[in-house]
Amino acid sequence: MKNVTLTINGKKHDLALEGHETLLEVLRNQLGLTGTKTACEESECGTCTVQINGKAELSCIKLACDAQGEDILTIEGLADGDNLHPVQQAYLDYGAVQCGFCIPGMIMSTKALLERKPEPSQEEIEYALDGNICRCAGYPKIFDAVRKAGEVMKQGWQQAARPDEKNESRPDMEKITCGITYEEYVKTLNAGKTAEAADQ
Amino acid sequence: MLLKPLTYHAPTSLMEASKLFTELEDVKILAGGTFLLNSLKLLKRKGSKTPNHVISLRHVPELEGVTLENDHLIIRAMTRINDLFDSDLLTDNFSVLKTVCRNISTNPIRNMATVGGNLTCRYTWTEMGAVMIALDADMHFIGADGTDTGMKAEDFFKNAAKTDKIFSHVSIARDKNAKIAYRRVKKTLHVDVPLLAVCVKANFRNNHFSNTRVTVNNGIAFAQRDTVLEEFLNKSKCSVSAAEEAMDHLDTKIYDTRSDDYKKHMFRVSLKSAIKELAETSGS
């Protein structure tokens, strides 16, 4: 056992750790921070991504002892009370969450990118998120959310979190879902079916 | 539990790390961890033996950073791939390192993986090997008595050198007149799987290739030079057609990787493309 102090989400934790314990295991099993997900456990999927000293890193291939002295941020440390972080808010607003399993890791990578570059190009977004795999393949909405979060973060996170401004920054959900409203979509679908029946 | 029990050591100086590495038995060095930890997990799953001791170099300040000293680029072992990529010092012949860094694995891995780990993890596929040989880099190792032993990157990979010393840094001489091109081919499954990499470096004299270095990583053996091709290019006029002719002057055993024709074809495509790039930019 080794006595180690880990700084996680701004709070110091004094822990007695075995040398072989990974940061992922300590976060989830000892500290109950289960927002950081465990999936492939071999650095391929990105669900275990946390921020260490502002950079996206994988907690499944990091020894917990090795993280002593580092500033560790998990998904639980993002929101300011009831105010979500702009990246979390943008993912919600843009419907970027499907099954949601990859999202904590995706959000941590997004935050690390936007803190460096609030107006990333499409290529830069894809490059920064290349270690996070979404098995629902919901990438287009994730990319939209990243761009929006960047705009909001550029204005400053405190300002962005003000409730009176939050609604203004929200897009019209029906319109962004597929470019048309649900009623228009059903109408188009029915029209297509009618045309198909007529052809037959 | 992902790993078998081990004793973790965190030295705070290079001397302390070197001494520990000499004294302890059954020990592995931990740099970024992106290769080692996955290897240890795999060994555990297979029921194989894993090391009793791990020495982390994370808290050794002498092993951090990239500097320029006497017109040599010094990249210290614990420099992370993304930190090297961001370095303003990657100009002239060093600029190829930007391309190499950019093509390594995924973003969180590039944030964690180190140049030292990439060069010394003894895995036949690593991105840095081929380019360091092309750049004629010197690798430096520090022993428990503090002595610094230098070794050409080419010799390190050629002899699969094993050492009880700690890799401290790599040193590369600036060459303002050299042109260098790097190609890497990968196939994308759920992650990118590297297939091959080639690096061609040349100077130009009287419109001819000179001091050419061609390095190849075929994924099966460690990175190596194709001296047959180098010899041909050094006698060749600098022209785009030289790239085509060069394909008849390959050291074929390097490219015979027991794989399908696709990989052999991609070797030729990559080499031709790299040589053409050099020929086209030689006048600039």
Side-chain angles (χ1 to χ4, degrees):
Chain A
M1 284 282 188
K2 194 173 166 66
N3 292 322
V4 172
T5 304
L6 296 183
T7 308
I8 302 166
N9 302 330
K11 193 178 162 194
K12 288 195 187 304
H13 297 265
D14 294 321
L15 302 160
L17 300 178
E18 299 281 4
H20 64 272
E21 287 181 284
T22 63
L23 180 59
L24 175 64
E25 289 170 313
V26 171
L27 288 174
R28 291 181 58 86
N29 304 339
Q30 293 201 32
L31 300 172
L33 296 170
T34 53
T36 304
K37 301 299 176 202
T38 177
C40 78
E41 296 178 341
E42 51 188 23
S43 70
E44 289 182 357
C45 71
T47 59
C48 68
T49 308
V50 296
Q51 259 188 294
I52 296 186
N53 298 334
K55 290 185 175 176
E57 293 195 15
L58 301 172
S59 57
C60 76
I61 48 166
K62 188 166 187 77
L63 290 181
C65 290
D66 223 25
Q68 173 147 255
E70 316 281 11
D71 185 13
I72 304 160
L73 186 70
T74 71
I75 189 78
E76 288 90 348
L78 258 60
D80 179 11
D82 289 339
N83 291 330
L84 292 180
H85 186 278
V87 177
Q88 293 172 305
Q89 190 64 56
Y91 270 67
L92 264 182
D93 291 346
Y94 276 77
V97 181
Q98 290 190 46
C99 87
F101 199 80
C102 69
I103 296 301
M106 203 69 87
I107 285 177
M108 298 314 286
S109 289
T110 303
K111 181 174 173 288
L113 163 70
L114 296 177
E115 280 167 351
R116 271 169 65 112
K117 197 154 182 117
E119 289 178 293
S121 65
Q122 179 60 26
E123 192 192 355
E124 286 166 333
I125 296 172
E126 289 178 22
Y127 188 62
L129 300 186
D130 64 358
N132 297 84
I133 297 171
C134 169
R135 66 184 299 171
C136 308
Y139 295 105
K141 287 180 185 179
I142 289 171
F143 296 150
D144 289 343
V146 174
R147 273 187 287 272
K148 182 64 191 176
E151 282 172 29
V152 178
M153 282 172 75
K154 209 179 161 197
Q155 295 161 20
W157 136 242
Q158 287 306 323
Q159 184 192 353
R162 283 204 331 243
D164 57 326
E165 289 191 4
K166 239 183 352 185
N167 287 336
E168 282 176 27
S169 67
R170 282 190 182 182
D172 182 336
M173 271 305 294
E174 282 188 329
K175 285 208 171 119
I176 64 145
T177 302
C178 53
I180 54 174
T181 62
Y182 181 70
E183 286 75 18
E184 284 169 336
Y185 169 71
V186 173
K187 220 183 272 178
T188 316
L189 200 66
N190 288 339
K193 278 181 185 163
T194 315
E196 260 177 43
D199 285 346
Q200 286 163 5
Chain B
M1 196 166 78
L2 296 170
L3 300 167
K4 280 188 183 176
L6 54 86
T7 307
Y8 169 86
H9 303 267
T12 52
S13 73
L14 189 49
M15 281 304 293
E16 189 189 346
S18 300
K19 276 183 189 159
L20 271 172
F21 192 43
T22 312
E23 286 164 14
L24 294 171
E25 283 185 10
D26 196 16
V27 60
K28 285 278 179 195
I29 294 287
L30 174 66
T34 57
F35 181 79
L36 179 68
L37 262 68
N38 280 334
S39 307
L40 296 184
K41 286 178 202 172
L42 184 66
L43 289 172
K44 180 175 180 269
R45 280 201 296 274
K46 285 181 174 173
S48 304
K49 166 106 183 61
T50 59
N52 287 330
H53 299 275
V54 163
I55 301 172
S56 167
L57 300 180
R58 195 173 180 85
H59 304 284
V60 178
E62 299 106 295
L63 296 178
E64 299 277 351
V66 187
T67 52
L68 196 61
E69 294 170 20
N70 302 321
D71 233 15
H72 281 67
L73 185 73
I74 308 292
I75 309 168
R76 292 181 183 79
M78 288 297 284
T79 304
R80 286 158 190 79
I81 301 298
N82 266 348
D83 290 340
L84 178 60
F85 177 79
D86 288 337
S87 172
D88 296 333
L89 300 173
L90 302 188
T91 55
D92 300 322
N93 55 325
F94 310 141
S95 62
V96 69
L97 291 167
K98 255 196 197 303
T99 315
V100 175
C101 290
R102 193 179 163 76
N103 280 289
I104 291 178
S105 194
T106 61
N107 188 46
I109 297 279
R110 291 187 290 270
N111 281 333
M112 302 174 79
T114 64
V115 172
N118 194 291
L119 281 169
T120 61
C121 70
R122 319 309 297 156
Y123 181 43
T124 50
W125 176 269
T126 54
E127 288 81 354
M128 288 284 171
V131 75
M132 289 301 173
I133 296 173
L135 290 166
D136 198 16
D138 289 303
M139 294 172 69
H140 290 259
F141 300 83
I142 303 293
D145 57 357
T147 52
D148 180 336
T149 309
M151 186 187 284
K152 288 282 176 200
E154 185 184 357
D155 295 330
F156 179 77
F157 287 103
K158 192 190 286 174
N159 304 323
K162 283 194 173 172
T163 173
D164 60 351
K165 299 178 174 73
I166 302 238
F167 173 59
S168 71
H169 65 277
V170 62
S171 166
I172 310 163
R174 185 193 291 283
D175 185 347
K176 286 188 176 176
N177 300 316
K179 300 285 178 190
I180 185 159
Y182 173 81
R183 297 289 183 275
R184 176 188 191 259
V185 177
K186 62 190 178 185
K187 66 176 174 183
T188 301
L189 298 172
H190 52 302
V191 290
D192 288 338
V193 180
L195 287 181
L196 60 97
V198 297
C199 194
V200 184
K201 190 220 91 175
N203 294 75
F204 297 95
R205 192 177 299 148
N206 302 326
N207 203 27
H208 278 71
F209 286 94
S210 73
N211 297 327
T212 308
R213 271 183 173 243
V214 180
T215 55
V216 176
N217 192 336
N218 59 27
I220 291 176
F222 289 114
Q224 56 196 310
R225 283 171 73 181
D226 182 344
T227 50
V228 176
L229 180 54
E230 287 175 9
E231 203 176 318
F232 168 77
L233 286 174
N234 283 335
K235 290 177 196 159
S236 301
K237 219 175 157 186
C238 174
S239 67
V240 173
S241 63
E244 202 67 51
E245 292 160 24
M247 294 305 104
D248 295 329
H249 298 82
L250 304 180
D251 183 352
T252 47
K253 66 178 185 299
I254 295 177
Y255 306 96
D256 182 13
T257 56
R258 303 190 298 273
S259 67
D260 53 22
D261 289 342
Y262 168 74
K263 193 164 168 180
K264 284 175 192 158
H265 177 65
M266 288 313 296
F267 264 125
R268 298 170 75 86
V269 170
S270 305
L271 280 168
K272 267 197 277 187
S273 159
I275 296 167
K276 271 183 189 168
E277 181 189 317
L278 294 192
E280 282 165 358
T281 57
S282 63
S284 59

